[in-house]
Amino acid sequence: MPAPMSGHSKWSTIKRKKGATDAARGKVFTKIAREIMVAAKEGGGDPDGNPRLRTALNAARSANMPKDNQERAIKKGLGELEGVSFEEVLYEGRGPEGTAFVLEVLTDNRKRTVPELRHIFGKNGGEMGSTGSATWMFDHKGVVMVAKEKIDENALMELCLEAGAEDVQDEDEVWVVTCETSSFSDVESALAQLEPESAEIQWVTRPENTFPLEGGGAEAVARLWAKLDDQDDVQKVYCNAELPDEIMEAHGL
């Protein structure tokens, strides 16, 4: 079995944000709306035939995002309402202690986004990197998280094998199913009946590149992580550091 995943996703930790301030909730809504728009633009407005849109709408429901907001974002993505056009970009960088960061970004203006990200890295002990400087430490995988109460391991394994999944891991209260990105649509569809906690394509740290940290080093990485996560154009942040839960939670991660 691979080591537990190291990474961070706005969708998979959305439940922690439910009690957040209105300002924080507004940021979450903005990020989800952008994802809905891009998903609809790419794959159409029917979630049944668009796994990426289905995933984004599940995140919206988990975050208690109003239905009107969801529908408006879909219409903007389809061009039925006037809206800004967003571009998907991947950025990479290094953080304190030599940690690696991968950022999935949706921006309408790279000339604004890049200096802001460079500033955040520089002020928090890191630096922006070139293409490939961090992603080599990660694998791009489909990841589906299913609550254990929904299904037992044997039944889940049977479903997953038929759909083309690679692995099922036991992590606390959830099963974590991983697959190649080419199989994600089939795996996500096969498990949709179980109402997964999250289902998305992620950058998963390779076991040999996982970086456990504690103390001051962990705090420094968490500060940078939180600043990047808070930047408006950043949709998802992945880092190869494994930090203590209490430090992650203290920084809202």
Side-chain angles (χ1 to χ4, degrees), residues 13 58 149 167 170 220:
T13 57
N58 284 340
E149 63 193 31
D167 189 37
D170 180 340

Side-chain angles (χ1 to χ4, degrees), residues 44-101:
D46 179 8
D48 290 337
N50 184 343
R52 181 173 180 177
L53 179 59
R54 187 160 60 236
T55 297
L57 292 175
N58 284 340
R61 283 190 287 273
S62 293
N64 294 324
M65 184 178 183
K67 193 74 181 285
D68 285 351
N69 295 37
Q70 299 174 39
E71 292 174 355
R72 191 158 54 247
I74 291 173
K75 288 179 179 178
K76 284 182 179 179
L78 296 174
E80 295 173 10
L81 290 177
E82 189 174 341
V84 178
S85 180
F86 290 100
E87 175 185 14
E88 292 185 274
V89 196
L90 197 70
Y91 293 114
E92 304 172 47
R94 288 298 184 114
E97 307 291 329
T99 50
F101 281 84

Side-chain angles (χ1 to χ4, degrees), residues 166-185:
E166 287 183 327
D167 189 37
V168 177
Q169 296 180 39
D170 180 340
E171 290 194 14
D172 298 325
E173 298 176 359
V174 297
W175 303 115
V176 178
V177 180
T178 54
C179 64
E180 293 293 336
T181 55
S182 57
S183 302
F184 176 68
S185 179

Side-chain angles (χ1 to χ4, degrees), residues 91-95 99-103 121 126-130 133-134 224:
Y91 293 114
E92 304 172 47
R94 288 298 184 114
T99 50
F101 281 84
V102 176
L103 313 177
F121 271 109
E127 62 180 358
M128 290 275 282
S130 57
S133 61
L224 171 58

Side-chain angles (χ1 to χ4, degrees), residues 2-30:
M5 291 181 303
S6 178
H8 176 64
S9 160
K10 183 63 67 178
W11 313 151
S12 58
T13 57
I14 210 79
K15 288 180 179 174
R16 291 185 188 169
K17 305 284 187 180
K18 281 189 174 180
T21 64
D22 287 343
R25 191 179 297 112
K27 281 184 175 291
V28 171
F29 285 178
T30 297

